[in-house]
Amino acid sequence: MRTAKPRIAAVDQANLVLDHTGQVNVFLVAGLLANEGFVGADGAVDMARLRTAVGERIASRPQLSKLSVVVGRGHHWAEATPDLRHHIRITEAVDGVEGLERLCGELMSAPLPRDRPMWELLLVPGTGVGRIAVVLRIHHAIADGMAAVAIVRQLFESEAESRMPAPEPVVTELPRPQQPTTHRNLRRTLGKFAFGLSRMRMTLSGREVAETVLLGERSPRRGVAFLTADLAALETRARSLGATVNDALLAAVAAGYRAALPAAHEELPAWLPVSVPVALQRHGTSGNQVGVMLVPLPLGEPQPDERLRLIAKQTQAEKVRAREQGTLEFMRGPLGARIMDRVAHRQHLVAGFVTNVPGPGETLRLAGARIVAIWPVAVLAANVRLGVAAVSYSGRLYLGIHFDAANVPGAEFTQAVTDELRRLGA
């Protein structure tokens, strides 16, 4: 029996608006499993053991036992017992990791049904001889990147806890600054209001990006490429240049654009802006608590280290401003999301999406099987044809590159990103 729950938070309803034909608003993560636990030495899987293990853990993540229902003009959560035979199932076998990449590209165009809790866990045979992969998909109305990582921690087991249920994640409150005087508070409020209006205007009519193969109507052909890099080496190199791992990721993405655009017979712009999410201090019940910063990548700078320094200089200031401003104005509710969705197909404010989420430092297990690699895949929204997602896990940085294979030179982009990560981690 389903029991009506409170209204879905406005920002989460906004993420329901952005999920429609041609734009699937789903968080996807793919992983490789060791042959242990519920995975036999020959790659055979014990689905009963897996479903039992995951079913026990769903109790600690009530979001996975809810579905979205329309009540009047809004959406509410309703309780629903997940049918684990549907939510946890085996796919057709793929041909190696490249086959897993192709499957993930196809899944990024496949919507999750709205008449069930909006998540699924797929077992994928064929990623190697006797090897099994896992693909977890969660709707963005349930979780942004940070919340999705928390869900992964809950569904999977850490090495230390074995099969004990994972505790609720603790959110560390940031120190609260001293309250400003009334005059300073008014100036701060007016400044946020003015910047918010500027962001709204830029979202609706910004022309920061010239006509390019990176923007336009997307084809059904999606490409996905998985990469990995040594996290400690990348962090050491970035710090030596006054930068962060996220800055190094952006520098590698800039190298990718510098290779892809000439391959598409386009001239390199001096700067190419991308949208980068910024985690906000979490509070309340919403699954989406993320700001956004606009980072122009210095494609005209030929020296790789100087590109990284220029990126770091920008992000140091923009990250603070993004956290101060909070959620993007048009994503604070379904009405704004409808407006943004209507005009986004012709936007020229950003040329791509780049996201980096801190993941578990420890090794995770799924029903006893170690996760030996894990890759996220970014959503492609508006008219953007290429996005990069990264997550740190067990000492490495894992990247998923998602692109419109019919329009974007994905192979050239991927190779250049690989080369730059290798150089930065050397």
Side-chain angles (χ1 to χ4, degrees):
M1 182 176 179
R2 299 171 183 172
T3 305
K5 287 292 182 180
R7 190 182 183 93
I8 298 175
V11 67
D12 297 335
Q13 290 194 59
N15 276 275
L16 288 173
V17 170
L18 296 186
D19 184 70
H20 51 72
T21 302
Q23 184 170 290
V24 175
N25 197 18
V26 171
F27 173 89
L28 183 151
V29 62
L32 297 181
L33 301 175
N35 290 58
E36 55 191 16
F38 80 101
V39 182
D42 60 352
V45 294
D46 184 342
M47 292 299 290
R49 177 175 174 178
L50 174 61
R51 286 171 176 146
T52 297
V54 173
E56 291 172 352
R57 288 177 167 267
I58 286 176
S60 66
R61 300 309 304 186
Q63 303 99 314
L64 302 184
S65 297
K66 296 177 181 178
L67 56 82
S68 167
V69 296
V70 178
V71 179
R73 300 183 66 179
H75 288 80
H76 291 238
W77 290 124
E79 299 286 355
T81 301
D83 179 358
L84 297 187
R85 293 171 301 174
H86 170 83
H87 288 277
I88 305 174
R89 60 190 191 275
I90 302 177
T91 71
E92 295 291 331
V94 298
D95 184 14
V97 174
E98 290 184 358
L100 178 63
E101 292 171 336
R102 286 191 293 272
L103 174 63
C104 290
E106 294 169 4
L107 289 171
M108 291 308 292
S109 297
L112 287 169
R114 294 285 185 94
D115 59 349
R116 300 176 183 270
M118 294 181 289
W119 65 275
E120 64 184 11
L121 188 69
L122 307 176
L123 279 298
V124 186
T127 50
V129 178
R131 294 297 298 273
I132 298 292
V134 59
V135 174
L136 174 65
R137 297 208 300 158
I138 304 172
H139 199 286
H140 264 291
I142 296 175
D144 59 19
M146 292 294 292
V149 167
I151 291 175
V152 168
R153 286 178 180 269
Q154 295 284 13
L155 290 183
F156 297 3
E157 312 138 20
S158 69
E159 292 272 50
E161 65 162 325
S162 184
R163 286 185 50 77
M164 293 296 292
E168 189 69 22
V170 176
V171 177
T172 302
E173 291 289 331
L174 298 176
R176 293 185 179 275
Q178 292 184 341
Q179 291 296 320
T181 62
T182 302
H183 176 71
R184 287 175 58 201
N185 192 42
L186 176 61
R187 185 171 60 184
R188 177 170 170 266
T189 300
L190 290 174
K192 287 181 64 176
F193 179 72
F195 183 65
L197 288 178
S198 175
R199 288 208 307 186
M200 292 173 68
R201 179 190 60 77
M202 290 180 67
T203 300
L204 292 172
S205 59
R207 301 293 298 182
E208 307 300 308
V209 182
E211 293 296 328
T212 174
V213 71
L214 300 171
L215 299 179
E217 184 177 352
R218 288 184 298 274
S219 78
R221 289 180 52 205
R222 301 296 178 86
V224 169
F226 294 148
L227 306 178
T228 183
D230 184 275
L231 185 61
L234 204 59
E235 185 174 21
T236 299
R237 176 64 172 168
R239 282 184 176 178
S240 72
L241 297 171
T244 66
V245 169
N246 194 59
D247 296 328
L249 171 64
L250 288 168
V253 169
Y257 284 126
R258 280 176 56 88
L261 289 176
H265 309 291
E266 291 188 10
E267 292 186 4
L268 285 178
W271 300 87
L272 189 71
V274 295
S275 175
V276 182
V278 175
L280 304 177
Q281 184 172 320
R282 306 196 78 83
H283 56 83
T285 60
S286 170
N288 289 269
Q289 301 186 37
V290 62
V292 64
M293 61 179 175
L294 191 68
V295 181
L297 301 180
L299 301 196
E301 171 54 58
Q303 298 301 320
D305 287 353
E306 185 59 24
R307 285 200 300 271
L308 179 53
R309 291 190 187 95
L310 289 171
I311 289 168
K313 184 177 180 180
Q314 292 183 80
T315 60
Q316 287 169 6
E318 291 302 320
K319 194 177 300 182
V320 173
R321 177 178 282 189
R323 287 185 173 140
E324 174 77 12
Q325 197 68 20
T327 305
L328 185 67
E329 287 73 19
F330 281 112
M331 285 301 293
R332 295 178 182 178
L335 177 59
R338 290 189 187 97
I339 295 172
M340 187 174 74
D341 192 47
R342 184 168 296 179
V343 302
H345 69 280
R346 54 178 172 81
Q347 70 84 32
H348 276 257
L349 178 61
V350 298
F353 303 124
V354 184
T355 179
N356 180 24
V357 180
E362 73 278 14
T363 300
L364 299 180
R365 292 177 178 268
L366 176 62
R370 278 179 297 119
I371 310 296
V372 298
I374 189 166
W375 296 281
V377 180
V379 172
L380 294 185
N383 57 351
V384 173
R385 290 172 169 170
L386 187 147
V388 179
V391 65
S392 55
Y393 171 63
S394 193
R396 298 193 67 79
L397 186 69
Y398 291 90
L399 285 72
I401 299 171
H402 180 199
F403 56 93
D404 179 347
N407 291 290
V408 176
E412 288 81 357
F413 182 93
T414 299
Q415 186 60 56
V417 171
T418 301
D419 293 342
E420 182 64 3
L421 290 172
R422 186 179 296 118
R423 188 193 71 82
L424 287 169

